Amino acid sequence: MDGPVHLRVESGPERGREIFVPSEGVRIGRSTRNDVMIQDPAMSRFHCRVYFKPGQGMWVTDLGSANDTLVNGQVIQEVELRKGDEITIGETRLRVVNDVPSEGRGSAGGAGISGSAGATPPPGVGLGGTVDLGFGRPPGSDGVSVRRRRLFLLAAALVMALAAVLAQPVVRSRLAGWWEGLTKLLGWGERAPATYTTNLPVLDLTYERVQGSTSNIFRYFVSIGDGRLVVQVDDMQSARHVRREKKVDPELLQSLARSLETSGFFGLSPEYRGVAPGIHDSLDLSVTIGVRTHRTRLVNHLEPEVLANVRGMVEEFGRSELGLAALAIDPATLVEKAREAFWQAQKMHDEREIRPGNLFQAIRSLKEAEWYLETIEPKPEFCADVIAKKRDWERELQERHDNLLFLAERAIRLEDWPEAARHLRILAEMIPDRGDERHRNVYKKLVEVERRLATRK
């Protein structure tokens, strides 16, 4: 342990673990790239960060986690922590046992060499501070030899102190930042969720690919700016027009920026132009990383290998982040996959009395079918049934949830903890998605009910 305990794991896979929080903070999640890695499958890779604001105490920030960060049962983005507060991340519950930053840590070893005035020195140490190493009194101890020995001891102490400083992860991360670019320091104040590497400047990107022929025009557009990703696809032949956008995890943007910066893109020529009768194939890509900006345009020309790699990187990033992989599947296959998902949904709905979660899974299969059909025009005949059943089954699920929640809350009021726990467990299985607000609400109640049950034993 590097210092006093600040957090203790009260429940979850690593119950009993104690966590020290340095002033610069710790990032917590299930990835090994965190400062504190917790093996909780319900936790996001980079879930939250706990740190100290100068003069403002201990704070926690959610890092865009899938299941949110809860403090005392409330979903938060950023909030100040107090001693006794409970932080819930995934299936893990942490308690704040100390909200004060560690100060004045003693140096490792060496304690007692310099005592207070009048103290009796330990054996082997003279009143003047000279250490007897057992080799006898050196000649000329009042002269040059003593000064050399003192210089040697001072140098040794400095080396040990430097080694102790360099052993700190934060110091190593800062040295890495200086080594990479001497542009930014890491570790103080607000910082985006990232590994201990150089924080690259903001990424701005605009990409447009147009392929035209006598029979079709296909356009793929990507824009990244202010942390938002926008993708628009237009395919005239299949009459598919899709536009999606979302806020992207800053760490993913930094990873993309690093890849672009080392790809060789900034060394490409501004324009590549050729001639190809009867077709139009153009690519226009502009990238800004910090103060560096470069734009390359290609028209009817063979792609340089670097540009081909960058183009693939940008297109794949847009498809994977926004779930546009269906655009790479031909329409007939998409319709068939949607039909299979619709059949699976009906089967799960028919078996909804067998398991509480079957109705939820049926709705999920309908959403999958709807996703497959999103880019299909005209829509197949069963698309209307998919939409109608999804609406009806979501209403049915909500009614079942509300009725069972009423029974659970009545049992809680009557302090019938076993009955309350039974209803809440069914509710948790009925809506298993931890990202669903209803599941989070049930889980919070179930934790409290199970605590009451435990105190009765």
Side-chain angles (χ1 to χ4, degrees):
M1 184 65 62
D2 293 329
V5 176
H6 290 98
L7 304 173
R8 181 177 294 116
V9 180
E10 295 286 316
S11 64
E14 300 191 26
R15 181 180 179 183
R17 181 177 177 182
E18 296 179 336
I19 299 170
F20 163 73
V21 181
S23 59
E24 65 275 8
V26 293
R27 187 175 60 186
I28 305 173
R30 59 181 170 83
S31 171
T32 56
R33 295 159 62 191
N34 289 288
D35 306 305
V36 176
M37 190 271 283
I38 297 178
Q39 295 179 341
D40 182 345
M43 196 178 293
S44 293
R45 292 185 308 120
F46 305 102
H47 203 109
C48 70
R49 178 171 173 251
V50 179
Y51 59 100
F52 290 95
K53 285 187 178 181
Q56 298 185 46
M58 179 186 282
W59 287 68
V60 60
T61 298
D62 182 75
L63 300 180
S65 61
N67 296 331
D68 294 328
T69 298
L70 284 73
V71 174
N72 299 327
Q74 300 296 317
V75 177
I76 61 95
Q77 180 57 45
E78 183 184 58
V79 72
E80 185 177 3
L81 296 171
R82 300 291 187 187
K83 184 177 179 180
D85 285 348
E86 289 188 351
I87 308 170
T88 303
I89 47 179
E91 301 291 350
T92 298
R93 180 163 52 87
L94 307 169
R95 181 176 296 277
V96 179
V97 296
N98 179 13
D99 60 5
V100 179
S102 175
E103 295 180 359
R105 294 187 222 166
S107 59
I113 293 295
S114 57
S116 58
T120 303
V125 180
L127 290 175
T130 304
V131 180
D132 185 0
L133 299 179
F135 299 110
R137 186 170 182 83
S141 59
D142 295 330
V144 177
S145 297
V146 173
R147 288 196 296 272
R148 286 179 177 173
R149 173 179 289 183
R150 289 177 177 172
L151 287 173
F152 171 78
L153 292 175
L154 177 60
L158 288 174
V159 169
M160 292 177 64
L162 180 60
V165 170
L166 291 176
Q168 300 297 318
V170 177
V171 175
R172 291 202 304 271
S173 71
R174 290 187 177 181
L175 290 176
W178 294 332
W179 183 263
E180 290 277 343
L182 296 178
T183 56
K184 282 192 176 183
L185 295 176
L186 298 176
W188 300 104
E190 302 297 326
R191 57 187 174 106
T195 55
Y196 284 136
T197 55
T198 304
N199 285 337
L200 290 173
V202 177
L203 169 67
D204 286 286
L205 180 149
T206 303
Y207 165 77
E208 183 180 47
R209 179 79 183 272
V210 178
Q211 295 172 299
S213 66
T214 56
S215 59
N216 188 33
I217 297 177
F218 179 86
R219 176 178 179 264
Y220 192 100
F221 174 82
V222 179
S223 172
I224 298 175
D226 296 326
R228 295 197 69 81
L229 168 67
V230 177
V231 173
Q232 182 167 330
V233 180
D234 299 287
D235 188 343
M236 300 301 179
Q237 191 172 48
S238 61
R240 291 194 283 183
H241 304 278
V242 181
R243 177 185 171 89
R244 289 185 184 172
E245 61 180 278
K246 66 175 285 191
K247 193 79 173 177
V248 182
D249 184 344
E251 185 175 76
L252 293 177
L253 290 179
Q254 286 196 0
S255 177
L256 178 62
R258 282 192 291 268
S259 298
L260 290 171
E261 194 168 47
T262 59
S263 66
F265 173 75
F266 286 89
L268 290 174
S269 298
E271 187 173 57
Y272 299 88
R273 185 176 292 274
V275 178
I279 66 170
H280 175 86
D281 189 349
S282 67
L283 183 157
D284 194 339
L285 176 60
S286 175
V287 176
T288 298
I289 302 178
V291 296
R292 299 182 68 192
T293 297
H294 185 67
R295 180 182 181 185
T296 291
R297 190 163 190 264
L298 179 147
V299 180
N300 293 343
H301 192 283
L302 184 66
E303 281 183 278
E305 183 178 357
V306 169
L307 185 57
N309 292 337
V310 171
R311 174 183 58 79
M313 187 190 310
V314 172
E315 291 182 355
E316 179 58 30
F317 184 83
R319 280 195 295 265
S320 61
E321 284 302 302
L322 292 173
L324 293 172
L327 293 172
I329 305 175
D330 65 273
T333 302
L334 287 174
V335 171
E336 185 58 31
K337 286 181 176 291
R339 201 181 300 276
E340 292 174 1
F342 183 42
W343 178 85
Q344 180 66 22
Q346 291 177 311
K347 180 176 181 295
M348 297 301 292
H349 185 263
D350 292 341
E351 299 174 356
R352 63 190 181 280
E353 303 298 340
I354 299 176
R355 288 185 56 197
N358 282 357
L359 180 55
F360 182 88
Q361 297 301 332
I363 296 171
R364 176 172 286 178
S365 292
L366 287 180
K367 291 179 178 179
E368 181 183 352
E370 197 173 32
W371 180 80
Y372 283 129
L373 297 175
E374 180 180 5
T375 62
I376 299 298
E377 293 294 344
K379 305 293 185 189
E381 73 287 347
F382 67 92
C383 182
D385 286 340
V386 170
I387 296 172
K389 288 182 183 297
K390 182 167 76 75
R391 181 184 61 248
D392 294 342
W393 294 357
E394 284 178 338
R395 185 184 302 117
E396 179 183 353
L397 178 64
Q398 187 63 45
E399 289 175 356
R400 287 176 174 239
H401 167 272
D402 293 346
N403 291 337
L404 199 55
L405 184 61
F406 171 79
L407 296 176
E409 291 179 339
R410 184 178 67 178
I412 291 173
R413 288 194 296 272
L414 297 174
E415 298 187 1
D416 186 350
W417 306 121
E419 185 71 4
R422 186 176 70 85
H423 290 315
L424 290 171
R425 291 189 187 108
I426 295 174
L427 277 167
E429 187 179 352
M430 181 183 294
I431 303 178
D433 182 7
R434 294 186 177 93
D436 193 301
E437 180 65 32
R438 294 170 295 183
H439 179 92
R440 292 197 295 265
N441 182 47
V442 165
Y443 178 75
K444 181 175 65 175
K445 292 178 184 292
L446 182 58
V447 168
E448 177 61 22
V449 168
E450 289 182 337
R451 186 184 68 81
R452 299 289 187 120
L453 284 171
T455 59
R456 294 178 54 183
K457 295 180 181 178

